[in-house]
Amino acid sequence: MLKERTATTTRAKARGAGKGEAEVRHLLPLGQIISGDCVEAMRSLPTASVDMVFADPPYNLQLGGDLNRPDGSHVDAVTDDWDKFDSFATYDQFTRAWLAEARRVLKPNGSIWVIGSYHNIFRVGAIMQDMGFWVLNDIIWRKANPMPNFKGTRFTNAHETLIWASMGEKAKYTFNYRAMKTLNDELQMRSDWVLPICSGQERLKKGGAKVHPTQKPEALLYRVMLATTNKGDVVLDPFFGTGTTGAVARRLGREWIGCERESAYREAALERIELALPLDESAITTMQSPKAAPKVAFGTLIETGWIKPGTMVSDKKGRFAAQVRADGSLACAADSGSIHSLGAKLQGAPSCNGWSFWHIEHEGQVKPLDDIRQMYLLATEP
Amino acid sequence: MLKERTATTTRAKARGAGKGEAEVRHLLPLGQIISGDCVEAMRSLPTASVDMVFADPPYNLQLGGDLNRPDGSHVDAVTDDWDKFDSFATYDQFTRAWLAEARRVLKPNGSIWVIGSYHNIFRVGAIMQDMGFWVLNDIIWRKANPMPNFKGTRFTNAHETLIWASMGEKAKYTFNYRAMKTLNDELQMRSDWVLPICSGQERLKKGGAKVHPTQKPEALLYRVMLATTNKGDVVLDPFFGTGTTGAVARRLGREWIGCERESAYREAALERIELALPLDESAITTMQSPKAAPKVAFGTLIETGWIKPGTMVSDKKGRFAAQVRADGSLACAADSGSIHSLGAKLQGAPSCNGWSFWHIEHEGQVKPLDDIRQMYLLATEP
DNA sequence: CGGGCTTGTGAATCGAATC
DNA sequence: CGATTCGATTCACAAGCCC
């Protein structure tokens, strides 16, 4: 009994759900906006069922009229110092409430994004760390065209901060490294992203007025989703607003769920998402790491005659040399092993990529083994 | 009676001290490094006595095992004891302790800067808000040449965050708006600053090894101090390290006080500050009033050390001469202004392109400023 | 022609990293 | 088993030039 239960728990952990993943997914309101307070709305979702949460919570710490305590009671506007502390505490309480539900709903290997400004992001970040979320990056959205500081009293507030976190230190989160590198002109994507604010055609308007005061640009969500979700993943946005998350999810072939209290926002969002056409499957396909490419064992190159047993290989500087054996291992005077393990041993390094470490003479030129592998792939794959 | 008391309180508040300001200043260890723990050290300072605090506390990095580059070389990480904390709670306790002393020592109209990364900055920011500090901006130091993410597992961590805060919402903090605008090409200075990391000549070394693992670039402190202090102000750095704050303070004619536990850092700092020569009074004087607004990017050359404040410039024929000031304006006997406006005024011309009008001696040759700008661009742009 | 100096090119180094 | 690095800076060395 105990054993069975443990097994179930382990399996559930691995698959990210108490029930089978397909079974849980069936229960999700995919492509729908749940109306009402986001904490209540998230309570209706099963545990460990979504792959990513994107949250754009209220930034406002002055509270005014647009923030309620988790119990629904209204927070009065406050001016004196004593009450200011009270308002921070109230904001923290609100933050802990929605983050707790987000955490419950996330799969163990899911991740969460939260965007904010200096008014709220420090509190949000500290609470996330306290709850066990593991910060992976803080990302700076550098606004190409920020609002100037009209009074000249401070620096132009030209950025917002996003926190990207996994469920814990050991979680196996999704990061499409190769897609980001491709998107960034073959350089690693950095933690600062230069993107324009949402304006022009993209900005939703009704009767000349903007429908939502803080509509986020689709480019921002595009990068977030492309980087940290896979096609078919479920993305939840607890502060859905006018549905930027939903529109981008649909375009990129991700599933989405939104929570939103205001009916005007819900209507605008549904209308907008309807118009967001899914991209072709081929357009969504991202550059995969070479790891995902068809594997070629070193031995295959020998079997197929691309490299002959007895050939000498060496490192780039010619400090180490070794001979190729018929079984695909390498041998030198001192030792032998796979292309990787021998390279590591000779250098005294913990690891080594033999494909780039070892070089071979081919048509008069000295090339890394990986070049031969690429030629083999080109000749056999397409 | 009541009236008199109110007057005293008001005066004290305005001057930032219970005692007269000159009286308190007399008690300060200006230009000295207090040895020992920073909380203890700050306790020796009088209440409401310093104008600005710049703090670079331990980041609580929580590094795992060793990290190697793809080529197998080892990354020299921050493994010092001073960055080790048992838990977030311990770190928070430490943070509250030093922030409380910093707050006590600051004048009511003083301000505080704290720098950190995602490991600690959220906690620091939230605690600052809880203590009553009023965040004015969060500033992003965007590194021109950050360390890449060697394993391809996250976004390149390419920035650090600074928090700038006053003592409270109503405080009359110092912000040299005009100096910042002049420094930034006649555009408002934004909340994201692109600056190189500290390396090359500036990086303090002993026997080939870096003296301090996290030495900050002087350009960063230069901008902080020029923006939020006045000449003669007292700047306190509770985590003095190798004294970047002291060196820049001396150059800019500010007074400084440091706290540092490690004697090796203290010695290196004192030696370094000795070599940091104060700039001329006229070079430090910043633009205080709005003037004509021609487009210039001159300030960047000063901030990055390509042109030193105090340097003389002249027109091609040597008829006019002027001196470079710290904020990127020029001053001569008769007048001052941007490189464009002063050139125009001296010639009695309606306008003037300061980049081609003003010349500077560089490596024995007299060159137009534009040549320096071109060199800077070539050196910094890909 | 050679010594000394300048200039240009390419290799090597390394940075607050939860890798 | 084998995937994974960017840019500023310095240094070594070659090429070119002057005297």
Side-chain angles (χ1 to χ4, degrees), chain B residues 62 69 118 151 154 210:
Chain B
Q62 307 166 67
R69 297 187 175 81
Y118 66 85
K151 299 284 193 258
R154 305 181 181 189
K210 50 193 177 191

Side-chain angles (χ1 to χ4, degrees), chain B residues 179 182-183 222 226 252 279-289 291 298-299 301-303 307-313 322-332 335-339 342:
Chain B
T182 306
L183 195 64
Y222 187 98
L226 205 59
L252 288 177
L279 297 172
D280 283 356
E281 175 119 14
S282 61
I284 296 167
T285 305
T286 57
M287 299 284 294
Q288 295 296 349
S289 60
K291 302 238 168 153
F298 189 54
L301 301 183
I302 297 163
E303 208 168 45
I307 296 177
K308 295 204 177 351
T311 306
M312 297 304 294
V313 295
Q323 190 180 36
V324 176
R325 296 197 292 203
D327 65 351
S329 59
L330 294 186
C332 64
D335 214 332
S336 71
S338 74
I339 57 172
L342 187 63

Side-chain angles (χ1 to χ4, degrees), chain A residues 61-62 79 81 84-85 88 92 113 117-127 129-130 133-140 142-159 161-164 169 173 175 177 180 188-194 223 227-228 347 349-351, chain B residues 62 68 70-72 88 92 113 117-127 129-140 142-159 161-164 168-170 173 175 177 180 188-194 223-224 227-228:
Chain A
L61 293 190
Q62 305 307 328
T79 47
D81 286 353
K84 194 176 78 225
F85 181 83
F88 276 131
D92 292 352
W113 288 82
S117 67
Y118 66 82
H119 304 91
N120 70 326
I121 200 67
F122 305 125
R123 320 199 69 80
V124 170
I127 290 170
Q129 290 177 317
D130 289 343
F133 285 110
W134 190 249
V135 178
L136 298 165
N137 279 114
D138 58 335
I139 297 291
I140 303 305
R142 301 177 69 220
K143 298 182 187 182
N145 46 344
M147 173 113 59
N149 181 297
F150 293 116
K151 293 187 175 172
T153 54
R154 305 180 185 190
F155 297 97
T156 303
N157 198 9
H159 74 275
T161 301
L162 297 99
I163 297 173
W164 175 41
E169 185 175 357
Y173 57 91
F175 181 56
Y177 175 76
M180 287 298 101
Q188 283 191 343
M189 187 69 80
R190 300 166 41 117
S191 57
D192 56 306
W193 301 354
V194 182
R223 192 175 291 184
T228 62
Q347 292 181 99
S351 67
Chain B
Q62 307 166 67
N68 292 306
D71 67 6
F88 281 133
D92 291 351
W113 287 82
S117 66
Y118 66 85
H119 310 85
N120 71 324
I121 199 67
F122 304 126
R123 321 198 69 81
V124 169
I127 290 170
Q129 289 177 318
D130 288 344
M131 290 175 70
F133 285 111
W134 189 254
V135 178
L136 298 165
N137 277 114
D138 59 335
I139 297 291
I140 302 305
R142 181 183 185 268
K143 298 182 185 181
N145 49 338
M147 174 137 54
N149 182 297
F150 297 117
K151 299 284 193 258
T153 54
R154 305 181 181 189
F155 297 98
T156 303
N157 197 7
H159 73 275
T161 300
L162 297 99
I163 296 174
W164 174 43
E169 185 176 356
K170 305 292 184 192
Y173 57 91
F175 181 58
Y177 175 77
M180 285 299 101
Q188 286 190 344
M189 186 68 82
R190 298 165 44 113
S191 57
D192 56 304
W193 303 352
V194 182
R223 192 176 293 185
V224 163
T228 62

Side-chain angles (χ1 to χ4, degrees), chain B residues 322-366:
Chain B
Q323 190 180 36
V324 176
R325 296 197 292 203
D327 65 351
S329 59
L330 294 186
C332 64
D335 214 332
S336 71
S338 74
I339 57 172
H340 309 296
S341 66
L342 187 63
K345 268 186 241 170
L346 291 176
Q347 294 180 98
S351 66
C352 164
N353 181 347
W355 289 110
S356 51
F357 179 74
W358 293 107
H359 287 60
I360 191 169
E361 191 172 324
H362 179 81
E363 293 173 357
Q365 290 193 316
V366 175

Side-chain angles (χ1 to χ4, degrees), chain A residues 17-40:
Chain A
K19 304 186 177 192
E21 197 161 306
E23 199 177 337
V24 166
R25 193 183 177 100
H26 188 68
L27 299 169
L28 291 172
L30 300 181
Q32 293 175 42
I33 309 174
I34 310 173
S35 63
D37 169 73
C38 76
V39 179
E40 283 305 316

Side-chain angles (χ1 to χ4, degrees), chain A residues 39 57-58 67-68 70 89-99 239:
Chain A
V39 179
L67 189 65
N68 290 311
T90 307
Y91 187 83
D92 292 352
Q93 204 179 350
F94 160 75
T95 300
R96 270 188 289 267
W98 74 259
L99 276 172
F239 307 93

